[in-house]
Amino acid sequence: MGKIVLTMQMSLDGVVSDVDQWMTLSDEILKDTVDYYESVGLVVVGGRTYASLAEYWQDAETSSASREERELAARLNTLPKAVVSRSRRELVWRNSRQILFRDKDAFVREMSELKTSTAGHISVESGAGTWRLFIGASLFDELWLFIHPVVVGRGDRLFEGAPGRLNLLLDNSKVYENGVVGLRYRKI
């Protein structure tokens, strides 16, 4: 049984939505992400972001100019993926399955079962609503935040509506050459 790790890109002012408009990835970040995926046994994505992620990463495997991004895409495309949603989604990404849930209790049961039955870590990739479900149910072990040196001003913020205090311990930090700061927190 691995950990549930919430991984996300975040602006300096806490925005986690529309990342394609402000995120500045680098080969250095992609390399660390590829290394991280060696320990991942399952990727979880929300139903609202699934189609766009599937399209991007399937295409990036062959079309990206970055060797690191192609490597990351190849790894993501082969990993098992679980799409969590309250309604059915068309599954177009290799190795995907749907997990439907009606309410928070059903969500907690499904994710708890996944955690005990998955070899390796579970990486929760998107989106803001899905991350909030995990945070609200205290169903995570770590947060891996990439804080980008940009103030976006508007958008979804990760901790809006958090159920209360979250005690976290900084396990690791890294400043990337492009100014992005990677922060790994463990829930305590």
Side-chain angles (χ1 to χ4, degrees):
M1 176 173 72
K3 300 178 219 173
I4 295 178
V5 182
L6 307 182
T7 61
M8 64 208 64
Q9 310 294 322
M10 182 183 287
S11 69
L12 195 56
D13 57 338
V15 173
V16 293
S17 59
D18 300 318
V19 297
D20 56 320
Q21 298 182 20
W22 51 263
M23 175 177 59
T24 53
L25 288 182
S26 67
D27 284 346
E28 182 185 20
I29 293 170
L30 292 169
K31 171 77 173 93
D32 282 356
T33 306
V34 168
D35 292 346
Y36 159 72
Y37 278 110
E38 292 304 315
S39 66
V40 171
L42 177 70
V43 173
V44 173
V45 297
R48 291 184 189 144
T49 56
Y50 170 77
S52 61
L53 287 172
E55 180 181 357
Y56 182 84
W57 288 111
Q58 289 179 103
D59 185 54
E61 187 171 358
T62 56
S63 68
S64 176
S66 164
R67 181 179 57 81
E68 285 79 6
E69 187 173 45
R70 287 191 310 274
E71 188 177 338
L72 175 57
R75 178 71 178 136
L76 273 172
N77 290 333
T78 60
L79 278 169
K81 288 161 280 294
V83 184
V84 294
S85 178
R86 289 184 174 94
S87 60
R88 291 222 175 267
R89 304 291 177 189
E90 180 182 358
L91 300 181
V92 297
W93 201 355
R94 190 165 65 223
N95 301 321
S96 293
R97 66 179 166 153
Q98 176 95 43
I99 297 178
L100 293 171
F101 65 95
R102 296 183 208 274
D103 56 32
K104 185 178 176 181
D105 290 338
F107 174 77
V108 169
R109 275 192 310 278
E110 290 284 346
M111 293 304 108
S112 296
E113 287 175 22
L114 268 183
K115 185 175 179 181
T116 59
S117 65
T118 300
H121 300 319
I122 296 173
S123 186
V124 183
E125 299 294 324
S126 70
T130 302
W131 290 319
R132 284 189 200 117
L133 276 171
F134 278 88
I135 291 168
S138 194
L139 263 176
F140 70 95
D141 301 292
E142 292 182 2
L143 293 174
W144 190 18
L145 306 172
F146 290 93
I147 310 298
H148 294 259
V150 61
V151 173
V152 177
R154 293 183 190 200
D156 293 329
R157 287 176 168 72
L158 180 61
F159 299 108
E160 280 181 2
R165 183 179 172 141
L166 291 172
N167 291 317
L168 305 170
L169 179 64
L170 182 64
D171 260 356
N172 190 357
S173 65
K174 181 174 182 177
V175 178
Y176 293 92
E177 290 177 10
N178 65 355
V180 172
V181 178
L183 301 170
R184 297 262 325 234
Y185 288 98
R186 182 171 28 102
K187 184 175 75 172
I188 54 174

